[in-house]
Amino acid sequence: MERTERAAQRTGRDPKEIKLVAVSKTVDTARIKEAIEAGVSILGENYVQEAQSKIEEVGRDVAWHFIGHLQSNKAKVAIRLFDLIHSVDSIPLAEELNRRSEMAGQVMKVFIEVKLSEEATKFGTEEEGALLLAGRIIGLQHLSLEGLMTMPPYFDSAEMSRPYFIRLRLLKERMIREGIPVKELSMGMSSDFEVAIEEGATYVRVGTAIFGPRK
Ligand SMILES: *Cc1c(COP(=O)(O)O)cnc(C)c1O
């Protein structure tokens, strides 16, 4: 938390603009509770089922964000469990989330996951697809498009991630010019969140730097 604040100050940004998502996949509830006592207020989970039992045990005094790949058949459970979904990557998924949110009488906050690399293993929609998807989501009454998320390839040096973070920021600016009001940028993980903050991140998703290496 101190490191996110310092990175913000270095770049002349207000530290309050940057929210820390503590990524707790594979982390047990005892350690999650310790992190909450130490000041963590947003938890990020990758798997619906794993999150479900943890949320039941840890409770809802904190916000729970979904950051993994979401299958449409989990949309119903996901909208009930999570306060924000970082990883909407297709029109069918957006439509299913909208339908389920409407049935539940709620508005779900979502980010679009943008894939900026060629890696076959990554999810997300490429930039042009993201523009189309954003245009579709703003027409859906039960989704609120809050921002964009990306996950660059893994590099040994954080500087290598910078071009990806810049591209996500430029995509956000392009959307705003085209009349799509997106506010947030979810980018940066343990190895590169400081660079992401320099490039405009408003949410950083940090796992191992908080909880230690995953098993
Ligand atoms: C696991 C994960 C993170 C956190 O990664 P660390 O390197 O442990 O900080 C962030 N974002 C996503 C989408 C993840 O799956």
Side-chain angles (χ1 to χ4, degrees):
M1 266 172 277
E2 255 166 61
R3 280 170 64 196
T4 65
E5 274 175 31
R6 263 182 283 141
Q9 272 151 0
R10 254 200 331 271
T11 42
R13 297 185 55 196
D14 180 355
K16 285 202 261 328
E17 266 176 41
I18 297 139
K19 282 140 288 193
L20 173 68
V21 179
V23 175
S24 49
K25 60 173 173 249
T26 78
V27 176
D28 61 49
T29 51
R31 283 158 73 217
I32 293 175
K33 286 176 186 167
E34 277 172 27
I36 294 169
E37 265 163 45
V40 158
S41 60
I42 308 172
L43 290 151
E45 286 282 339
N46 288 62
Y47 305 100
V48 173
Q49 226 141 2
E50 180 185 338
Q52 188 160 18
S53 55
K54 287 178 177 176
I55 294 171
E56 275 165 22
E57 200 182 319
V58 175
R60 297 193 155 274
D61 290 342
V62 287
W64 293 89
H65 289 191
F66 189 75
I67 63 168
H69 179 62
L70 187 61
Q71 285 165 327
S72 290
N73 62 6
K74 301 269 170 67
K76 181 183 176 189
V77 187
I79 60 134
R80 184 168 59 75
L81 290 177
F82 297 103
D83 302 287
L84 200 156
I85 295 173
H86 288 234
S87 48
V88 175
D89 62 357
S90 76
I91 290 177
L93 175 60
E95 288 176 339
E96 180 63 7
L97 286 167
N98 183 65
R99 195 172 74 84
R100 293 294 181 177
S101 300
E102 182 173 10
M103 287 166 72
Q106 68 181 77
V107 173
M108 186 75 219
K109 291 180 182 168
V110 298
F111 292 172
I112 292 174
E113 180 171 359
V114 187
K115 182 176 157 171
L116 298 171
S117 65
E118 301 303 312
E119 292 168 292
T121 54
K122 287 269 159 68
F123 292 102
T125 173
E126 22 58 271
E127 284 166 278
E128 295 307 315
L131 276 158
L132 286 174
L133 179 54
R136 180 76 187 106
I137 291 176
I138 58 169
L140 298 173
Q141 300 227 317
H142 291 268
L143 295 188
S144 169
L145 180 61
E146 306 278 314
L148 305 176
M149 182 272 240
T150 200
M151 195 168 163
Y154 180 80
F155 297 112
D156 287 330
S157 147
E159 272 307 317
M160 302 278 285
S161 298
R162 190 183 298 275
Y164 295 89
F165 298 147
I166 292 174
R167 272 169 65 195
L168 197 69
R169 171 161 52 75
L170 293 176
L171 180 61
K172 176 186 135 179
E173 287 164 10
R174 183 171 161 202
M175 285 185 180
I176 292 170
R177 278 198 308 278
E178 296 188 12
I180 300 165
V182 280
K183 295 192 299 281
E184 313 288 355
L185 290 175
S186 167
M187 56 190 197
M189 319 200 316
S190 294
S191 56
D192 55 16
F193 69 87
E194 282 143 320
V195 173
I197 288 170
E198 287 167 16
E199 295 304 337
T202 59
Y203 283 87
V204 292
R205 309 179 308 271
V206 180
T208 48
I210 295 174
F211 294 110
R214 283 182 291 274
K215 274 158 257 149

